[in-house]
Amino acid sequence: MRSKKNGRKMSKSNKKKGIIAFILASIVFSVFFYGLYLLGKINYIPIDEENLGLSEEAPEDKKVTNILLFGLDNRVEGQRSRSDTIMIATLDSRENKIKLTSLMRDTYVSIPGREDNRINAAYAFGGPELAIRTVNHNYHMNIEKYVTVDFFSLERVINALGGVEIDVKDYEVKALNSGIRNLNNLHKDDKDSPLIEGPGMHSLDGRQAVAYARIRKVGNGDFERTDRQRTVLKSLIGKAASLNPLEAHNLLSTLLPEVETNLSKAEIIKLGYVALKSAKNPVEELRLPYEGTYEHRRIRGMAVLVPNLERNRQILHDFIFGS
């Protein structure tokens, strides 16, 4: 009798385990296929990867992936304009690190097929393809992938993550509020974002954070503005790293339609895994031109930074790939 009872108990136990396993498998498959559905919403814009000016002098490391991030300075949604923000995002899967390198927008460089100009003009002249080629040509890099956002899309991405925590300095308050007013005027059909009452730690919404990242007429000008841009991005990386799977899927549903990229679905899945692991570690930062490696000059009426490119190339390569 005992053996029959034990057999029935084991049978019930096995059935429960089978039901649990089926439920878990269903959840996994649902999450997987929902993830594929979200990836189908990517604003995928391919470019001619044979025309990116890949440099034979660039260091090679299959464990390191570099992606160019562009933030467009446009006043009309969808308009092509100069790249207000140019940043190299590095994913180092060997060291599980994320590195951010800001390229100053007023850096005076050679733009292939064009007259020498500020580096931020390349995007307006030829979109992401020419902008990537310009970076590769001047800094001897082999970057092939990019992600582009504008004021409008970045605001929505930041809001999807619940805003960012920023320590606003006393000398930034007036300029920040001026930027918020300007952006409110661009979004006349939306609810206005409130002004900041004073310095200190603030939880900035998307519009306020975009205005903060654009401040450049106080402090150390555009040099300090690149610091603010990296501060906002680091805060976003930190928030994304703490998301649970459901929150991550909700974020993807908002983020993917907002960015323009030539990253494929497979590349996003692969790099997303590396990024989530790496986001738990401190983000490393660099700004180019590096201090002491450039001259302030005025060329054709433009105030520009003329870099010592040889020194800046070496600094960049050492930072990304190791000395």
Side-chain angles (χ1 to χ4, degrees):
M1 293 293 291
R2 281 185 179 179
S3 61
K4 289 183 179 181
K5 288 182 179 179
N6 288 340
R8 284 196 292 269
K9 286 181 180 179
M10 289 179 66
S11 178
K12 288 181 179 179
S13 176
N14 289 335
K15 285 181 180 178
K16 287 181 179 179
K17 289 179 181 178
I19 292 171
I20 292 171
F22 175 76
I23 292 172
L24 290 175
S26 298
I27 292 172
V28 169
F29 277 110
S30 296
V31 170
F32 175 75
F33 284 110
Y34 182 57
L36 289 180
Y37 162 73
L38 291 177
L39 287 173
K41 300 170 72 176
I42 298 171
N43 190 14
Y44 178 74
I45 309 294
I47 57 178
D48 182 2
E49 295 185 4
E50 298 295 321
N51 195 34
L52 297 180
L54 304 185
S55 174
E56 294 180 357
E57 299 179 57
E60 290 291 337
D61 189 337
K62 293 183 179 179
K63 295 292 185 179
V64 173
T65 301
N66 294 301
I67 302 168
L68 266 167
L69 308 181
F70 298 108
L72 301 189
D73 182 19
N74 55 3
R75 302 299 190 276
V76 178
E77 193 162 8
Q79 178 189 61
R80 176 182 286 183
S81 63
R82 293 174 180 255
S83 46
D84 201 41
T85 301
I86 308 171
M87 202 179 296
I88 302 172
T90 301
L91 296 177
D92 185 336
S93 61
R94 181 182 292 105
E95 301 291 336
N96 289 328
K97 289 181 180 178
I98 296 175
K99 301 176 183 180
L100 300 176
T101 303
S102 294
L103 304 180
M104 298 282 289
R105 68 173 198 161
D106 291 336
T107 307
Y108 192 72
V109 297
S110 170
I111 299 179
R114 295 275 183 164
E115 189 175 14
D116 291 1
N117 207 319
R118 292 169 172 156
I119 195 170
N120 71 334
Y123 202 103
F125 291 153
E129 184 176 305
L130 182 57
I132 296 172
R133 187 177 179 187
T134 298
V135 172
N136 285 337
H137 173 73
N138 286 278
Y139 292 97
H140 292 176
M141 294 291 288
N142 276 338
I143 302 174
E144 298 179 274
K145 303 299 177 180
Y146 78 96
V147 174
T148 296
V149 297
D150 60 18
F151 293 165
F152 306 91
S153 56
L154 181 58
E155 176 183 328
R156 290 189 282 264
V157 169
I158 294 172
N159 283 335
L161 277 164
V164 291
E165 300 298 320
I166 299 292
D167 184 8
V168 179
K169 309 297 189 297
D170 56 355
Y171 61 86
E172 296 173 325
V173 174
K174 184 177 179 180
L176 172 56
N177 284 333
S178 176
I180 294 171
R181 290 190 191 95
N182 289 337
L183 290 175
N184 282 338
N185 289 334
L186 288 178
H187 299 72
K188 293 180 180 179
D189 296 333
D190 295 340
K191 180 180 177 182
D192 286 353
S193 285
L195 303 182
I196 301 302
E197 294 182 359
M201 289 299 299
H202 291 274
S203 179
L204 302 183
D205 67 22
R207 190 170 303 170
Q208 293 167 330
V210 170
Y212 171 81
R214 297 187 65 237
I215 296 173
R216 72 181 180 95
K217 293 188 177 180
V218 298
N220 193 17
D222 204 43
F223 294 89
E224 194 167 339
R225 178 164 70 162
T226 66
D227 295 341
R228 295 186 187 99
Q229 292 167 350
R230 293 192 304 276
T231 296
V232 170
L233 189 51
K234 285 191 299 179
S235 181
L236 291 175
I237 290 170
K239 283 207 163 189
S242 64
L243 296 178
N244 62 46
L246 179 59
E247 291 171 328
H249 278 84
N250 290 337
L251 173 63
L252 283 174
S253 67
T254 300
L255 186 151
L256 291 177
E258 298 294 347
V259 302
E260 176 185 311
T261 184
N262 66 336
L263 287 165
S264 68
K265 295 178 185 180
E267 288 168 333
I268 289 175
I269 293 171
K270 177 183 176 181
L271 296 176
Y273 174 73
V274 175
L276 285 175
K277 285 181 63 179
S278 302
K280 302 181 187 303
N281 297 320
V283 176
E284 298 183 8
E285 304 176 63
L286 177 67
R287 186 195 68 226
L288 296 179
Y290 199 72
E291 288 299 325
T293 68
Y294 62 90
E295 295 179 3
H296 288 278
R297 293 178 61 184
R298 184 165 289 275
I299 300 176
R300 303 198 308 277
M302 299 182 295
V304 297
L305 305 173
V306 180
N308 179 328
L309 277 173
E310 184 176 352
R311 289 188 63 190
N312 279 278
R313 288 177 195 131
Q314 192 59 56
I315 290 168
L316 177 63
H317 292 175
D318 289 347
F319 175 69
I320 290 179
F321 301 101
S323 54

